[in-house]
Amino acid sequence: MVEACKRVGLYAESIELIRFGSNAVFHVGPDVVGRVSPVESLENSIRQVKIARWLASLEYPVNLALPVSQPVRLDDAVVTFWVSIGDGTVYAPLADVAAVIKRLHELDGLPPGIKLPKLRPLGETRDPLPEFRGIDPEDAHFLRSRIEWVREDF
């Protein structure tokens, strides 16, 4: 994170891990969040920054990508920088989320040069199925069979 901050001219006064999951998310000072993703996510990170900037230009309520040259590619990681929207985790009421999603779907297409990948919420048919360790084997078998069915039929 320090190296990525240097590359975009950010002063990393303090770096604090917020969350570690499929991505690592850090507070980089009080007003900036940095997200570290695997290098395989480079194209997705580029797309996310472009879409966030486009939505912001439409005054759509979106988390703002910091106005720096990004994403930053490091050896085996990709870093993006975002304006921090707060210290804690706050969830919007469902009705507010629904209104924002409705507004998003009312937008007229994407700007030139941005293409979204085909929706595959459960992965590609060739992707390995989850093992579901720790749950009853019959339940795990049922879940895997449902994932296979959805992948093939949808």
Side-chain angles (χ1 to χ4, degrees), residues 6-136:
K6 285 180 186 175
R7 289 192 192 179
V8 298
L10 288 177
Y11 174 65
E13 62 184 76
S14 64
I15 297 175
E16 177 187 348
L17 179 65
I18 300 171
R19 180 180 64 81
F20 184 76
S22 56
N23 299 299
V25 182
F26 297 87
H27 266 175
V28 181
D31 301 323
V32 176
V33 170
R35 187 178 73 196
V36 181
S37 305
V39 74
E40 296 81 18
S41 301
L42 178 62
E43 291 302 315
N44 190 41
S45 296
I46 291 168
R47 187 172 35 253
Q48 288 172 2
V49 170
K50 284 181 179 179
I51 290 173
R53 288 179 174 160
W54 169 65
L55 289 171
S57 76
L58 300 175
E59 298 182 6
Y60 184 84
V62 65
N63 195 357
L64 300 174
L66 220 57
V68 297
S69 179
Q70 59 173 322
V72 176
R73 181 175 178 175
L74 301 173
D75 293 333
D76 59 349
V78 176
V79 181
T80 53
F81 295 99
W82 305 86
V83 174
S84 178
I85 57 173
D87 289 333
T89 302
V90 179
Y91 296 99
L94 228 53
D96 293 351
V97 174
V100 169
I101 292 171
K102 180 180 183 290
R103 186 172 160 200
L104 180 64
H105 285 275
E106 290 171 347
L107 294 175
D108 290 329
L110 291 169
I114 296 179
K115 293 182 180 176
L116 296 179
K118 190 172 184 177
L119 180 62
R120 299 267 187 227
L122 298 176
E124 297 288 338
T125 52
R126 67 182 177 277
D127 290 345
L129 293 169
E131 294 182 30
F132 296 115
R133 292 185 182 123
I135 68 171
D136 179 90

